[in-house]
Amino acid sequence: MVQLLRFLDVDPQDILPQRHPFIMIDRLTHYDEAVTSTRLLVSSHNIFVEKGRMLATGLIENIAQTCAARLGYFNLISGLPVKIGFIGAISNLHILRCPAVGETLDTTIHVQEEVFGMTLVSAETRVGEEIIVNAEMKIAIQ
């Protein structure tokens, strides 16, 4: 069995194909085969922030990068290179509000199904205890 690394020791650049300024997670907070969680502090320097709020596109990208972090972390602990994924579809997207600069996003994905290089997840983003986004996303791996 592969020993898991301490989550705080994982640099997002080691598990994501994206690079600054496009990285939309600060850290991986939970990983297992079925559930992965990440955290992001919304910064005024974020490319998806306008007028003090994160745009919907930033929230979607945060979910997609949480999916990428799941696969990237698995690849890291397995000694494999980071793979590139693409959003195949987004459904049942509900953005209840866009977070303000200074708020922390906790995003969790639950794997529903994996088949033929496609992964279907349900996702939820919270600020504290408040759910601000939920969606389903299909990710295709290159």
Side-chain angles (χ1 to χ4, degrees), residues 57-84:
T57 50
L59 293 167
I60 293 167
E61 183 61 26
N62 172 256
I63 292 170
Q65 287 193 25
T66 299
C67 295
R70 173 185 174 267
L71 179 61
Y73 186 75
F74 173 81
N75 289 335
L76 180 68
I77 64 177
S78 300
L80 300 170
V82 172
K83 296 179 183 173
I84 296 174

Side-chain angles (χ1 to χ4, degrees), residues 12-93:
Q13 292 190 70
D14 291 340
I15 59 175
L16 295 176
Q18 292 84 358
R19 292 293 171 251
H20 182 76
F22 204 67
I23 292 180
M24 296 297 296
I25 66 170
D26 291 331
R27 68 179 217 192
L28 181 66
T29 56
H30 178 84
Y31 167 85
D32 65 39
E33 289 183 16
V35 179
T36 299
S37 299
T38 61
R39 181 164 289 156
L40 173 70
L41 174 64
V42 179
S43 161
S44 61
H45 302 291
N46 187 295
I47 61 172
F48 291 109
V49 168
E50 277 187 12
K51 299 179 183 173
R53 296 226 171 249
M54 179 171 279
L55 302 171
T57 50
L59 293 167
I60 293 167
E61 183 61 26
N62 172 256
I63 292 170
Q65 287 193 25
T66 299
C67 295
R70 173 185 174 267
L71 179 61
Y73 186 75
F74 173 81
N75 289 335
L76 180 68
I77 64 177
S78 300
L80 300 170
V82 172
K83 296 179 183 173
I84 296 174
F86 301 93
I87 297 172
I90 301 168
S91 59
N92 301 316
L93 174 65

